[in-house]
Amino acid sequence: MARFGIVVFPGTWSDRDSYNAVHDQLGQDARYIWHKEHDLQGVDCVILPGGFSYGDHLRCGAVAALSPVMAEVVEFAARGGLVIGICNGFQVLCEAHLLPGALMRNRTMEFRCQPATLRVENPDTAFTRGTGRGTLLRVPVSHGEGNYFADAETLRGLEGSGRVVFRYVDATGDATAESNPNGSLNNIAGILNQSGNVLGMMPHPERASEHLLGSADGLVIFRSIVDSAARVLAG
Amino acid sequence: MARFHADVHIELKPLVNDPAGLVIRDALRHIGFEGVAGVRAGKYLSLELQAHDRVDAEARVAEMCRKLLANPVIEDFRFEVRETAPAESIPA
Amino acid sequence: MARFHADVHIELKPLVNDPAGLVIRDALRHIGFEGVAGVRAGKYLSLELQAHDRVDAEARVAEMCRKLLANPVIEDFRFEVRETAPAESIPA
Amino acid sequence: MTAAVDPALLREVALTEPEYDQLVELMGREPTHVELGIFGAMWSEHCGYKTSKPLLKLFDSQGPRVLQGPGENAGAIDIGDGWAVVFKIESHNHPSAIEPHAGAATGVGGILRDIFTMGAFPIATLDSLRFGPLSEPRNRFLFGGVVGGIGDYGNCFGVPTVGGEIYFEDCYTENPLVNAMAVGLIRIEKLTSSRAEGPGNLVMLVGADTGRDGIHGATFASVELDAASESRRPAVQVGNPFLEKLLMEACLELIDQELVVAMQDLGAAGLTSSAVECAHKGEVGIELDVAHVSRREQGMSAYEIMLSESQERMLIVVEPGKKPGVDRIFTKYDLHADVIGRITESGRLTIREGGSIEADIPVTLLVDAVPFRHPVARAPEDRLELANRVVSPPDLPLDESFLRLLGSPNIGSRRGVFRTFDHQVQNNTVVPPGGDAALLRVKGTRRGIAVCTDGNGRYCYLDPRAGAAIAVAEAARNIVATGATPAAVTDCLNFGNPEKPEVFWELKESVVGMAQACRELELPVVSGNVSLYNDTSGVSIYPSPVVGMVGVIEEIDRRLTAAFKQEGDVILLVGETFDDLGGSEFMKVCAGVVSGRPPRLDLEIERRSHDAVLRAAAAGVLQSCHDLSDGGLAVAVAESCLLGGLGARCDAIDLTAGAAVALFSESQSRFLVSARGTEAEAFEAICADLGVPVRRIGRTGGGAIGLGRDVETSLENARVAFEGALA
Ligand SMILES: Nc1ncnc2c1ncn2[C@@H]1O[C@H](COP(=O)(O)OP(=O)(O)O)[C@@H](O)[C@H]1O
Ligand SMILES: [Mg+2]
């Protein structure tokens, strides 16, 4: 059993959905960590969930990145702890410089809540070990600012080192312009940090956690984390 | 036609609630800038446009503000226009 | 302490694509302003703050920009500071 | 200070001279300026329901599921397993006409507050919208602004926007309707009241600071507007969903830890209305000192503070001993909570500013002494004549009519709108927007709830009583089409100026029709809202009652959806088709005519058709189910096809009354279902048993939609028309 710490900033709302996925669906230990806390309670994995932390004012994730708990998350990540940032959590990770680049307004300037298909570009990560290269996952997006941007050199670095983990594709697996919901460079939906223990993704795997809700494809990501945590313990 | 650059500032009217300004003010105080008494958040647009002359450019920008850029019910706008390339350099 | 007003401008770096600017440009053209060559969308913040003097005020605002107001990955900032109430008028 | 009986001042507080005289007589003296403002607010149509109250008594609000009827911030029903669903609909029409984005956003914020004031966690919102035609730039601006505002508020707050409706008619051009409905979930025993109790208990104001938002502006009425007064004019309210979310979390923690006696949000007429409501319900007095109210601006008067409509604020009544616990929670969320007064035994609303008393009024005068208005109701001759005018169907090829209907803004796809709303957050959305009612599961149970809104202004214009009854029936049909049983109603009465005899007639007729339909379908009305004076330049909107409905499904695995599921299923039409083209979308779109009688409605037949579908759903014999409404059978078939990505061939449609009637009539009490061959028989048996007419009209499959002899369209052409309707 893995222990997940779900960070709650003012304005976070997918904390409860993340709990629903990892605790109710996968039976893992999960606890909420209020942003003012300094104790990560010995968790194996930190989830920075979706939402509108601080109302998304100024820049999405900018104010949350300065919260007390983020100092602990930075340290946790430096020690190799697993961190997954979903949607607003991805934005927080970029603002906290745990991941490169930035998430800009969607190309259409509109919020988009819709199904998306993700292609797994790298199955050899702590977050995707339960998948294979090219596996397609049905995971919805729900954001207004998910348009991934990085300068050319950063982008080359990400692409060249297998750190682009998920890409938006169409139903047949092609990364087309129409399948890109927000205008992200190279259809990027999720990226990894250099040491491979911090993942940021705009789509919501915690929403794709039950067939009743339309898809359970997101669970493989949390299962992979559980598996990775067990391997760390096994040494 | 000549080319102009316009700097447009759009601000909430003084009495209108400004949730963004409040969040920024509180965040600045939280990270140690206690002396921040207030923050108002606005927009700043820079436009490149063609116009016959400065008077024409200003009239156009004012109209853009009224029609699209600003929301006159809750926002005020102001702008400055400067010429970046004179008429003779640009084919009509 | 004296009171200062700061006008802070935050703009996207020139090489960063600007979805908001593009949409506004297209919308302006759509409603008849064909002469609009380009739009860049930025932020404009006005701050009221206390500081010892102008140099102190400028140092504070610069730090606020670096720490929070601008994101150095995609944005540049600039600001102007002016005194609104001199030191002697405000109890320390 | 005594207010002069200045007609301009009275106009500003919307009181007539006789009403003012009545006020003076009841008070036994002239009111102070603040008192006049308070009376004006409490005796207004908005707070006092002075025109509509006698009519609202016609609604039945009793029923075995009802836990809370009208009278609290929202109604509540028992859905089983210890859970209650709390819901209400509310209008924000006038603010949205002035500033659509902020107006619609604060409308959503207001109705969400009503839900969590009851202690419930908001689990869904819906919105019922009306605009003028999109060909007018102003209407397009209003439409874009309203949709943007709803999305901005709901998305940020973290509540899914799961449904609603949008109609376009000329009459809404300067007067859009924005009705927002919110639905919350709560354990029954946690339901909270706004009844203030216990003299000596503290009254606290929590949430946002108070600014000069949306005040009547009475103070400025008598002065010439100059540059200085312009800047002091009441400001348009801009909502803060982020703050509202924090306020909700904090308030629900208070209730969870049993720290509050009563809770009441601040809505119309701000602090005045909240304080009066709490005190009146508890039959106590309340004393407030406005000096303790945190403000956003300097120099606010007691009058402004009492009437400010700043959003995201809540009034709570707390026992003094529990204040530390309350403070701890608000500190956690970085919200400030001001003690602004206490509960008294006096039965009076007493307002101080420091040492001076600004108002002192018996609470009952503000609530029970509201001077009712009894306008004249008179049916307009020209309307009756219009309803009797029968126009024959246009001479347009039917396949062209079909595509025109699919592309009509009133019928086409709303995907471009609802994909800008987060409709999934909270992980409960089982049937998303795009079908009939939305269906949400209730975690930890096998149950679900279905929610929808409905209203058809055109029907109501032609016959308000029939149109309003149809709104109820149609909402119920939408609920039934998901497999859920309709349980209760909330309503929003959007009308023009009731001082016009024809408008008051419309209002009265609508309420009668709605009340009757609710009674016969056994649907208690547990909450609602009234919005009158929807007029622009003397022209009133169509009478536009809107019904919000909640239904319950015991086994969510038995749900139905509108999409055809696989090739070769039998398509059946439930119910009878009559020549009901009066007021139809077909006649509007293809003939440019709004006339005739709206469809006839037999509530007994309606009920039986519901029973048939629900019995079949429980037995698991249906593959899909969709209700028939605007655009009739043709549109229903197309929608089931497009949702399922499957064609259909319907060769066995009864064409005896003419193809236009068969395809486009909007006869009531009908459903379109599909079933596997063997199960179709079981369904027919159920229908036969209940005496519900049913007819096999075709089969699913292929890449085209074929209807009778006259319509044959590729699925792709249908999709292009449907998806482009709002472009
Ligand atoms: N059309 C209606 N039908 C039934 N109940 C209504 C109607 N209009 C208002 N009510 C009820 O009257 C009470 C007061 O309504 P309102 O003033 O709109 O509430 P709030 O102050 O919470 O905004 C509420 O309980 C509401 O449900
Ligand atoms: Mg209320």
Side-chain angles (χ1 to χ4, degrees):
Chain A
M1 167 126 67
R3 178 179 291 182
F4 286 84
I6 301 168
V7 174
V8 185
F9 299 107
T12 293
W13 42 234
S14 86
D15 46 343
R16 293 178 174 97
D17 297 351
S18 299
Y19 189 91
N20 179 239
V22 298
H23 180 272
D24 301 346
Q25 302 307 317
L26 293 183
Q28 304 298 311
D29 181 359
R31 45 198 66 198
Y32 295 114
I33 302 175
W34 183 235
H35 71 115
K36 291 178 184 173
E37 288 174 28
H38 289 278
D39 180 6
L40 292 185
Q41 305 177 34
V43 300
D44 300 300
C45 174
V46 169
I47 300 178
L48 301 179
F52 281 58
S53 59
Y54 294 95
D56 271 2
H57 293 304
L58 191 62
R59 294 180 311 281
C60 302
V63 178
L66 298 172
S67 293
V69 73
M70 282 307 293
E72 311 303 324
V73 173
V74 168
E75 197 179 297
F76 176 76
R79 281 188 273 116
L82 296 177
V83 179
I84 175 172
I86 298 165
C87 195
N88 190 229
F90 186 9
Q91 296 162 340
V92 173
L93 288 172
C94 290
E95 284 286 343
H97 307 302
L98 286 172
L99 289 173
L103 294 147
M104 321 262 304
R105 290 292 295 268
N106 290 355
R107 182 183 41 193
T108 56
M109 294 293 282
E110 279 186 354
F111 191 95
R112 279 298 155 83
C113 176
Q114 61 192 40
T117 305
L118 310 183
R119 188 174 70 207
V120 176
E121 302 291 273
N122 182 352
D124 304 318
T125 78
F127 305 91
T128 51
R129 61 169 76 246
T131 68
R133 182 172 306 281
T135 298
L136 300 184
L137 303 175
R138 295 281 293 168
V139 180
V141 292
S142 190
H143 59 249
E145 308 197 19
N147 181 351
Y148 185 74
F149 172 85
D151 60 44
E153 193 188 326
T154 306
L155 200 61
R156 258 196 310 278
L158 288 172
E159 293 284 7
S161 56
R163 289 166 57 199
V164 173
V165 182
F166 302 114
R167 231 184 277 281
Y168 300 109
V169 296
D170 64 16
T172 62
D174 290 332
T176 58
E178 298 73 53
S179 59
N180 184 340
N182 51 34
S184 285
L185 289 175
N186 297 6
N187 282 39
I188 287 174
I191 60 168
L192 206 58
N193 69 341
Q194 208 145 25
S195 12
N197 62 323
V198 178
L199 173 78
M201 64 189 297
M202 286 312 295
H204 287 274
E206 80 285 5
R207 290 189 186 185
S209 58
E210 290 175 70
H211 290 293
L212 183 63
L213 304 175
S215 169
D217 287 0
L219 285 181
V220 69
I221 294 171
F222 299 110
R223 282 209 188 91
S224 298
I225 294 172
V226 174
D227 196 20
S228 303
R231 284 169 198 237
V232 171
L233 281 185
Chain B
M1 297 293 249
R3 283 210 196 100
F4 293 85
H5 177 99
D7 279 323
V8 181
H9 287 83
I10 299 157
E11 289 173 272
L12 284 172
K13 289 184 192 287
L15 291 187
V16 174
N17 188 19
D18 177 12
L22 295 177
V23 162
I24 298 169
R25 181 199 65 190
D26 292 348
L28 286 171
R29 288 181 182 168
H30 260 288
I31 60 173
F33 298 101
E34 285 90 6
V36 177
V39 177
R40 298 287 286 179
K43 283 174 233 156
Y44 164 63
L45 302 172
S46 50
L47 272 64
E48 309 299 330
L49 72 155
Q50 296 199 0
H52 296 295
D53 51 33
R54 164 181 293 274
V55 173
D56 179 38
E58 288 182 347
R60 286 178 196 224
V61 175
E63 206 188 332
M64 292 179 204
C65 287
R66 277 191 301 267
K67 279 201 173 160
L68 182 78
L69 303 179
N71 177 349
V73 180
I74 53 172
E75 292 172 331
D76 293 325
F77 63 86
R78 63 192 156 85
F79 59 86
E80 275 155 42
V81 161
R82 75 182 136 75
E83 190 166 328
T84 50
E88 48 276 26
S89 67
I90 302 165
Chain C
M1 299 291 252
R3 284 210 194 103
F4 293 85
H5 177 99
D7 278 323
V8 180
H9 287 84
I10 300 156
E11 287 174 272
L12 288 172
K13 286 182 192 291
L15 285 183
V16 175
N17 67 22
D18 173 12
L22 292 175
V23 167
I24 295 170
R25 184 199 63 189
D26 292 347
L28 284 171
R29 288 184 182 167
H30 188 75
I31 60 170
F33 296 100
E34 286 89 9
V36 177
V39 177
R40 302 284 289 176
K43 283 172 219 154
Y44 164 62
L45 302 174
S46 50
L47 273 64
E48 309 299 328
L49 72 155
Q50 295 200 0
H52 295 295
D53 52 33
R54 165 182 292 276
V55 173
D56 179 38
E58 288 182 348
R60 286 179 197 222
V61 175
E63 208 189 331
M64 291 178 204
C65 288
R66 277 192 301 269
K67 279 201 174 161
L68 177 68
L69 302 181
N71 176 352
V73 176
I74 47 171
E75 293 170 328
D76 294 323
F77 63 86
R78 64 194 156 85
F79 60 85
E80 275 155 43
V81 160
R82 74 182 137 76
E83 189 165 327
T84 51
E88 49 275 27
S89 68
I90 301 166
Chain D
M1 180 185 50
T2 300
V5 200
D6 175 349
L9 193 52
L10 284 187
R11 227 183 359 263
E12 206 40 48
V13 297
L15 292 178
T16 60
E17 285 192 36
E19 284 169 350
Y20 179 80
D21 294 341
Q22 193 177 340
L23 182 173
V24 173
E25 192 185 320
L26 288 168
M27 287 284 283
R29 61 174 168 83
E30 299 270 329
T32 66
H33 185 56
V34 174
E35 286 170 343
L36 184 61
I38 290 174
F39 270 103
M42 293 310 299
W43 284 10
S44 70
E45 184 59 46
H46 201 105
C47 294
Y49 289 89
K50 61 184 165 195
T51 308
S52 52
K53 195 152 214 165
L55 292 176
L56 298 183
K57 293 205 182 94
L58 295 173
F59 289 134
D60 253 330
S61 54
Q62 310 284 310
R65 285 191 188 275
V66 176
L67 299 167
Q68 177 65 58
E72 277 283 352
N73 286 291
I77 58 167
D78 183 341
I79 61 157
D81 291 334
W83 290 102
V85 164
V86 174
F87 61 102
K88 183 170 190 246
I89 191 166
E90 200 158 81
S91 65
H92 231 215
N93 305 337
H94 297 113
S96 303
I98 296 168
E99 210 309 280
H101 193 282
T106 50
V108 173
I111 193 66
L112 286 170
R113 259 185 326 277
D114 277 334
I115 301 306
F116 67 79
T117 303
M118 299 284 294
F121 193 101
I123 58 166
T125 61
L126 301 91
D127 43 84
S128 177
L129 312 177
R130 305 286 184 276
F131 302 96
L134 286 179
S135 47
E136 285 284 319
R138 173 74 189 167
N139 293 335
R140 196 168 272 280
F141 165 75
L142 291 170
F143 172 62
V146 165
V147 168
I150 290 168
D152 277 2
Y153 208 100
N155 296 348
C156 178
F157 182 85
V159 64
T161 303
V162 299
E165 18 147 31
I166 311 173
Y167 282 100
F168 302 90
E169 299 285 354
D170 290 331
C171 66
Y172 304 114
T173 285
E174 291 291 326
N175 209 316
L177 301 186
V178 177
N179 292 182
M181 171 171 165
V183 183
L185 194 64
I186 184 174
R187 296 299 297 171
I188 289 172
E189 68 277 10
K190 293 280 185 193
L191 273 170
T192 301
S193 163
S194 57
R195 189 188 314 116
E197 280 169 1
N201 282 342
L202 305 177
V203 177
M204 297 176 79
L205 181 60
V206 305
D209 288 348
T210 299
R212 287 193 178 93
D213 306 290
I215 301 163
H216 281 323
T219 36
F220 309 114
S222 43
V223 296
E224 283 280 299
L225 279 185
D226 54 25
S229 58
E230 174 67 19
S231 72
R232 293 175 59 214
R233 258 227 320 228
V236 168
Q237 308 161 15
V238 169
N240 186 343
F242 164 63
L243 184 59
E244 176 122 320
K245 157 106 166 123
L246 297 181
L247 186 61
M248 173 197 70
E249 299 279 1
C251 288
L252 295 189
E253 273 184 42
L254 290 181
I255 289 170
D256 208 48
Q257 297 180 25
E258 297 175 3
L259 292 170
V260 285
V261 175
M263 191 140 97
Q264 172 61 45
D265 69 304
L266 281 77
L271 193 48
T272 293
S273 158
S274 304
V276 169
E277 270 178 46
C278 285
H280 183 257
K281 277 187 202 131
E283 297 176 20
V284 293
I286 193 164
E287 183 175 321
L288 305 179
D289 184 348
V290 296
H292 295 135
V293 173
S294 292
R295 299 133 199 234
R296 213 173 66 218
E297 286 141 33
Q298 288 169 348
M300 288 183 71
S301 65
Y303 184 97
E304 290 173 315
I305 290 169
M306 287 310 294
L307 292 174
S308 158
E309 295 189 356
S310 289
Q311 301 286 302
E312 290 94 21
R313 297 181 300 161
M314 186 76 82
L315 199 70
I316 59 176
V317 178
V318 174
E319 290 170 19
K322 292 191 172 168
K323 181 166 179 299
V326 171
D327 287 340
R328 205 174 312 120
I329 288 174
F330 284 104
T331 303
K332 169 180 171 187
Y333 289 100
D334 294 316
L335 294 170
H336 59 68
D338 303 326
V339 174
I340 62 164
R342 56 186 63 243
I343 302 300
T344 65
E345 277 169 347
S346 70
R348 305 174 78 84
L349 172 71
T350 311
I351 307 299
R352 309 171 159 276
E353 180 158 19
S356 93
I357 291 187
E358 299 287 330
D360 186 33
I361 311 170
V363 169
T364 65
L365 293 192
L366 294 169
V367 183
D368 303 318
V370 175
F372 289 129
R373 289 178 183 171
H374 299 281
V376 180
R378 193 169 51 242
E381 288 301 327
D382 54 344
R383 200 81 58 76
L384 299 179
E385 193 265 317
L386 193 62
N388 282 322
R389 193 186 307 157
V390 178
V391 179
S392 44
D395 206 12
L396 199 69
L398 289 170
D399 50 357
E400 193 182 327
S401 301
F402 173 58
L403 285 177
R404 262 204 220 177
L405 271 178
L406 281 184
S408 153
N410 285 343
I411 285 184
S413 171
R414 271 82 181 105
R415 199 168 64 96
V417 171
F418 65 69
R419 73 178 172 190
T420 69
F421 301 153
D422 190 333
H423 49 263
Q424 297 175 314
V425 62
Q426 299 187 21
N427 275 7
N428 295 323
T429 309
V430 175
V431 177
D436 293 314
L439 195 61
L440 304 162
R441 61 100 172 263
V442 177
K443 286 195 190 94
T445 74
R446 304 157 71 111
R447 284 165 199 280
I449 60 165
V451 289
C452 70
T453 67
D454 270 296
N456 185 319
R458 207 187 296 146
Y459 290 171
C460 292
Y461 177 67
L462 294 169
D463 182 344
R465 187 182 297 209
I470 286 175
V472 176
E474 191 179 328
R477 221 175 300 135
N478 275 305
I479 299 284
V480 167
T482 67
T485 305
V489 162
T490 182
D491 70 286
C492 197
L493 302 174
N494 305 279
F495 289 81
N497 177 354
E499 292 154 33
K500 294 190 204 164
E502 74 270 21
V503 171
F504 193 64
W505 171 77
E506 292 169 345
L507 175 60
K508 209 167 136 186
E509 287 290 300
S510 296
V511 171
V512 168
M514 193 180 269
Q516 188 186 350
C518 287
R519 201 168 304 119
E520 293 198 25
L521 297 175
E522 291 177 57
L523 294 167
V525 178
V526 298
S527 60
N529 179 247
V530 179
S531 170
L532 305 178
Y533 300 96
N534 290 286
D535 288 69
T536 305
S537 333
V539 180
S540 300
I541 58 163
Y542 281 170
S544 307
V546 170
V547 171
M549 198 176 289
V550 173
V552 179
I553 182 167
E554 313 256 318
E555 289 283 342
I556 202 152
D557 290 339
R558 292 294 183 189
R559 70 187 173 278
L560 301 171
T561 62
F564 287 147
K565 298 298 181 305
Q566 61 261 315
E567 304 243 338
D569 282 348
V570 178
I571 302 172
L572 303 100
L573 175 61
V574 180
E576 248 183 297
T577 304
F578 304 96
D579 182 350
D580 283 318
L581 291 176
S584 68
E585 187 67 12
F586 169 68
M587 290 303 287
K588 170 86 193 285
V589 168
C590 298
V593 172
V594 174
S595 76
R597 294 206 177 280
R600 65 209 81 176
L601 172 66
D602 181 325
L603 288 161
E604 176 51 32
I605 291 174
E606 182 74 39
R607 217 184 140 97
R608 272 190 272 141
S609 72
H610 297 183
D611 288 346
V613 168
L614 291 177
R615 223 193 264 182
V621 299
L622 296 181
Q623 293 296 313
S624 72
C625 182
H626 191 20
D627 86 298
L628 270 70
S629 60
D630 310 310
L633 175 63
V635 167
V637 172
E639 286 171 345
S640 289
C641 285
L642 292 171
L643 282 165
L646 271 178
R649 176 143 310 281
C650 300
D651 290 329
I653 297 171
D654 179 1
L655 298 171
T656 43
V661 168
L663 297 185
F664 306 126
S665 165
E666 297 181 1
S667 293
Q668 297 296 299
S669 316
R670 297 184 299 161
F671 293 91
L672 181 78
V673 306
S674 66
R676 295 207 156 101
T678 46
E679 291 170 341
E681 274 164 42
F683 179 62
E684 285 162 328
I686 291 171
C687 290
D689 193 31
L690 290 165
V692 172
V694 61
R695 179 186 177 105
R696 296 187 182 219
I697 60 166
R699 284 194 183 265
T700 61
I705 301 172
L707 300 167
R709 292 185 293 268
D710 302 287
V711 173
E712 174 78 31
T713 305
S714 75
L715 210 48
E716 193 46 35
N717 279 349
R719 183 181 306 283
V720 168
F722 191 66
E723 292 297 335
L726 296 183

